[in-house]
Amino acid sequence: MIVGIDLGTTNCACAIYRNGAVEMIPNSLGHVLTPSAVSVDEKDNVLTGLAARERQSTHADRTVTAFKRYMGSEHVTKLGKHSFGPEELSALMLRSLKADAEAYLGEPVSEAIITVPAYFNNKQRKATKRAGAIAGLTVERLINEPTAAALAYGIHQRDQQSRFLVFDLGGGTFDVSIIEIFDGVIEVRASAGDNRLGGEDFNEVIIERVRRKFAAELKNDLTANELYQRLREAAERARRALSEAQSTRFSFVWKDQAFETEITADEFEQDSERLVARLREPVLRSMRDSNVPVASLDEIILVGGATRMKLVRKAVTLMFQRFPAANINPDEAVARGAAIQGALKARNADLAEVVLTDVCPYSLGVESGERQASGQTLLGLFTPILERNNVIPASREHVFSTMDDYQTHVKMRIYQGESRWVKDNIFLGELSVPVPRARAGLASIKCRLSYDINGLLEVDVEVAETGVQKNLIIADREGVSDQDMEVRRKALAKLKVHPRETESNKAALARAGRCYENCTGDQREFVARLIGQFEAVLAKQDPRECESARAELTAVLDQIEGQVFL
Ligand code: AMP
């Protein structure tokens, strides 16, 4: 069975297509969203998901979240005495999702479709695939998150040409993509985004208002990290409440003093104006890049938890002059679509076959120079040949001419990126061809770039006057041997991971620890007593007793701080 996995920045989700429908797979806590968080406890046990995320404020140096941002880089995270790369952290998440799926389905799960952002470059895609392999999963295919969301909304079942705009606002990133189906082929026509805009920024807006309101009382502590963490948690609650209600209470405790204020949906909307304005730019860019007019969009679909905010829905409705489709849970759409892709791949009889294609998310081109009016030559310019958002496989050519009198060779230096200057783009490789000695501009060189679905870039250069040809293949340099993968898999397998059955207890205990820190006075003592009692029950190791004690503890915590959110 092939499961679909949304390996998100804030949360992960896993789904399967069976008996003609998609089912979300719950984790060991019964939740369909698993926070993308890893923590190492004092006994050197690795925790993932909610149990890890609950420790974020109390054990910041042993907990990591949002590591997807580092995918494909050499970034190292130190947690306790262990060091992890982003691939290992993602592998830990994938491994726990795999275990959850196996427990739910009652059979081994070894194949998965994993989703990645449309803008992920090849290096990031390869890293994601390796994370899957380290977790013991054969990654049947990586698919773009917006393509998955469009599948969840049934784009593959439309007969004629259809175009969906996917508006994805997550915890920290915003992505807009235009997906088209034509003749059974699904294509990302364009994608644009802002990787510094998401639900977290809207939390900041609330935090700012509260800081202004209590500036006098909080005086010297305004910049304290601990206060910030407390405000952030309260802001998250308030923001979620405002997705349902017209106003909400914002309360927090700081240095034994309780603070409380009211925030209305209108105030929140006013404060968020600047952020809402930033939602427009990527939308306009994707429309421009794809040449798709608004009127020919068949659906606007909302993805990502932060699209639950009323002000975002309102902004989208105003922008497109119509209501977006939001009948699928915005946090589940991507995983659901990945599950559908899994079924398509397995040729599930219920689903007609469709072909998915990708776009090249960045421009590829060569270094060039420009003769200026002054006679001087401006060097280091970037001339794109294959522009971003071309559907791949793609192949384009461009003709250059020599710059200097009697030069004997021309060097083609290949870069990837969007800057006008090569120094700001990524160098991929170079090749040199001999040219006939002649005055500047008299020899011409044809350069063709071809990019295929596996990330192989082929450079073909031909000198028109002599017919001399040269070819260069730029493959991914990140290939890792099977042997190396095996070593990494074993290293990860050695880590002590909490057994699934004790994860709920760990999560409850971590939450109680956080709640203790957020309370003061009598309430704090009360929570301390609860923790003591719960630890005493855990020590007896009677599963039934543990379960009922956990339910009691959770109920009391819900009363104190409202229901837990993912
Ligand atoms: P994602 O990255 O798609 O998992 O989205 C996570 C973001 O969705 C976080 O910033 C959450 O605060 C936000 N989110 C989830 N549920 C809600 C809600 N009911 N109202 C507002 N924002 C939400």
Side-chain angles (χ1 to χ4, degrees):
M1 269 197 203
I2 308 181
V3 293
I5 297 180
D6 170 6
L7 188 61
T9 311
T10 328
N11 292 304
C12 297
C14 184
I16 180 105
Y17 185 95
R18 59 175 183 179
N19 307 324
V22 179
E23 283 171 55
M24 293 302 294
I25 297 180
N27 60 24
S28 60
L29 311 178
H31 303 154
V32 294
L33 293 186
T34 301
S36 307
V38 176
S39 187
V40 173
D41 73 8
E42 293 62 28
K43 291 188 190 138
D44 219 24
N45 286 311
V46 174
L47 298 160
T48 51
L50 189 61
R53 217 220 27 211
E54 286 286 15
R55 288 166 51 89
Q56 193 177 10
S57 58
T58 51
H59 300 81
D61 56 335
R62 288 178 160 266
T63 308
V64 62
T65 55
F67 38 84
K68 180 171 168 179
R69 284 186 189 275
Y70 298 115
M71 210 57 175
S73 79
E74 307 295 316
H75 191 272
V76 173
T77 306
K78 224 172 137 24
L79 304 178
K81 57 179 192 195
H82 299 282
S83 294
F84 299 101
E87 283 170 38
E88 270 77 24
L89 293 169
S90 303
L92 286 168
M93 289 311 304
L94 289 170
R95 206 169 65 175
S96 79
L97 295 168
K98 176 177 185 298
D100 289 333
E102 288 173 343
Y104 178 75
L105 299 169
E107 58 182 89
V109 169
S110 58
E111 293 165 309
I113 302 280
I114 301 181
T115 60
V116 289
Y119 59 80
F120 252 26
N121 63 28
N122 229 24
K123 202 166 171 180
Q124 295 165 306
R125 285 168 196 261
K126 294 265 148 143
T128 307
K129 265 198 152 170
R130 284 199 299 270
I134 300 172
L137 286 169
T138 304
V139 182
E140 282 297 330
R141 203 175 162 162
L142 295 176
I143 66 166
N144 290 320
E145 288 162 8
T147 306
L151 285 171
Y153 274 92
I155 197 168
H156 56 295
Q157 287 155 341
R158 306 257 170 154
D159 310 330
Q160 293 152 356
Q161 180 178 20
S162 278
R163 288 149 175 177
F164 286 16
L165 181 138
V166 182
F167 186 101
D168 180 354
L169 189 65
T173 53
F174 173 46
D175 300 301
V176 182
S177 310
I178 292 172
I179 314 291
E180 183 179 83
I181 183 160
F182 184 66
D183 251 0
V185 176
I186 300 182
E187 197 173 286
V188 182
R189 284 283 302 267
S191 63
D194 184 338
N195 59 7
R196 303 248 157 261
L197 182 60
E200 283 302 324
D201 299 276
F202 288 85
N203 283 345
E204 293 294 327
V205 161
I206 297 182
I207 295 173
E208 243 342 279
R209 169 172 281 270
V210 174
R211 273 182 172 153
R212 274 200 311 273
K213 173 145 182 109
F214 297 114
E217 293 90 329
L218 297 170
K219 267 193 304 262
N220 307 335
D221 296 335
L222 273 178
T223 54
N225 187 38
E226 212 187 321
L227 174 65
Y228 174 78
Q229 288 302 339
R230 207 154 290 181
L231 293 179
R232 203 202 76 82
E233 258 168 40
E236 177 76 27
R237 278 176 200 287
R239 195 164 57 80
R240 286 173 185 248
L242 288 175
S243 296
E244 310 292 329
Q246 275 310 313
S247 74
T248 186
R249 290 209 162 291
F250 184 105
S251 53
F252 65 102
V253 172
W254 181 245
K255 292 195 171 160
D256 286 349
Q257 199 184 335
F259 293 85
E260 191 165 301
T261 181
E262 181 91 7
I263 297 179
T264 68
D266 288 343
E267 285 168 342
F268 179 43
E269 191 173 336
Q270 273 164 23
D271 292 349
S272 304
E273 255 172 27
R274 214 175 28 84
L275 294 178
V276 170
R278 280 172 59 193
L279 295 172
R280 291 183 68 86
E281 173 46 33
V283 170
L284 294 175
R285 191 161 137 198
S286 63
M287 310 280 313
R288 232 179 6 240
D289 282 359
S290 62
N291 260 328
V292 170
V294 177
S296 72
L297 290 172
D298 295 279
E299 296 277 4
I300 318 288
I301 61 183
L302 296 184
V303 180
T307 58
R308 286 215 174 87
M309 284 188 281
K310 283 190 199 156
L311 53 89
V312 171
R313 294 193 173 200
K314 186 171 154 191
V316 174
T317 309
L318 286 175
M319 238 183 267
F320 297 101
Q321 298 290 305
R322 70 176 113 157
F323 289 106
N327 51 319
I328 296 180
N329 211 326
D331 335 280
E332 295 177 4
V334 171
R336 284 181 175 272
I340 292 174
Q341 170 61 24
L344 290 171
K345 173 105 195 155
R347 297 189 192 283
N348 191 305
D350 298 338
L351 297 168
E353 202 180 336
V354 291
V355 181
L356 298 178
T357 66
D358 281 321
V359 288
C360 174
Y362 32 74
S363 302
L364 296 161
V366 299
E367 178 175 7
S368 61
E370 202 174 272
R371 185 80 68 196
Q372 294 189 304
S374 63
Q376 289 206 317
T377 310
L378 192 62
L379 293 170
L381 284 166
F382 177 61
T383 299
I385 296 180
L386 261 176
E387 288 200 278
R388 71 164 190 274
N389 286 328
N390 255 300
V391 175
I392 46 181
S395 184
R396 298 270 185 287
E397 67 180 27
H398 193 99
V399 179
F400 298 89
S401 39
T402 45
M403 298 274 306
D404 298 320
D405 288 342
Y406 310 117
Q407 75 183 85
T408 57
H409 282 82
V410 166
K411 214 179 235 178
M412 287 288 170
R413 294 170 61 81
I414 321 296
Y415 287 84
Q416 134 189 346
E418 309 308 321
S419 169
R420 209 178 141 232
W421 302 100
V422 291
K423 68 174 172 36
D424 299 324
N425 292 332
I426 299 170
F427 174 69
L428 297 178
E430 66 181 7
L431 115 182
S432 168
V433 274
V435 286
R437 282 171 58 85
R439 296 293 299 268
L442 289 184
S444 53
I445 308 102
K446 201 158 63 184
C447 179
R448 172 174 286 278
L449 295 187
S450 311
Y451 191 63
D452 79 1
I453 199 116
N454 298 314
L456 221 60
L457 173 66
E458 203 169 343
V459 187
D460 290 295
V461 175
E462 185 181 341
V463 180
E465 288 71 21
T466 58
V468 171
Q469 295 181 349
K470 281 243 175 150
N471 171 281
L472 170 72
I473 291 182
I474 302 174
D476 289 311
R477 280 170 283 185
E478 295 83 34
V480 177
S481 67
D482 287 349
Q483 209 178 0
D484 184 26
M485 291 303 290
E486 196 48 39
V487 170
R488 293 167 70 178
R489 208 168 10 241
K490 281 194 177 137
L492 220 60
K494 273 202 222 124
L495 292 173
K496 285 181 285 172
V497 176
H498 270 280
R500 276 171 50 81
E501 54 284 3
T502 64
E503 245 170 48
S504 329
N505 299 335
K506 271 276 161 190
L509 209 52
R511 180 180 173 200
R514 177 175 53 68
C515 183
Y516 172 86
E517 293 202 0
N518 288 347
C519 295
T520 55
D522 290 349
Q523 206 173 38
R524 181 173 246 201
E525 267 176 43
F526 174 59
V527 176
R529 260 201 319 278
L530 287 177
I531 294 177
Q533 284 163 3
F534 187 52
E535 280 175 336
V537 175
L538 290 182
K540 289 198 248 163
Q541 298 186 5
D542 175 338
R544 247 170 227 258
E545 231 184 298
C546 289
E547 197 174 321
S548 71
R550 186 177 69 237
E552 273 172 43
L553 174 69
T554 309
V556 181
L557 293 175
D558 280 351
Q559 258 176 22
I560 297 176
E561 55 174 22
Q563 284 210 351
V564 71
F565 51 79
L566 284 174

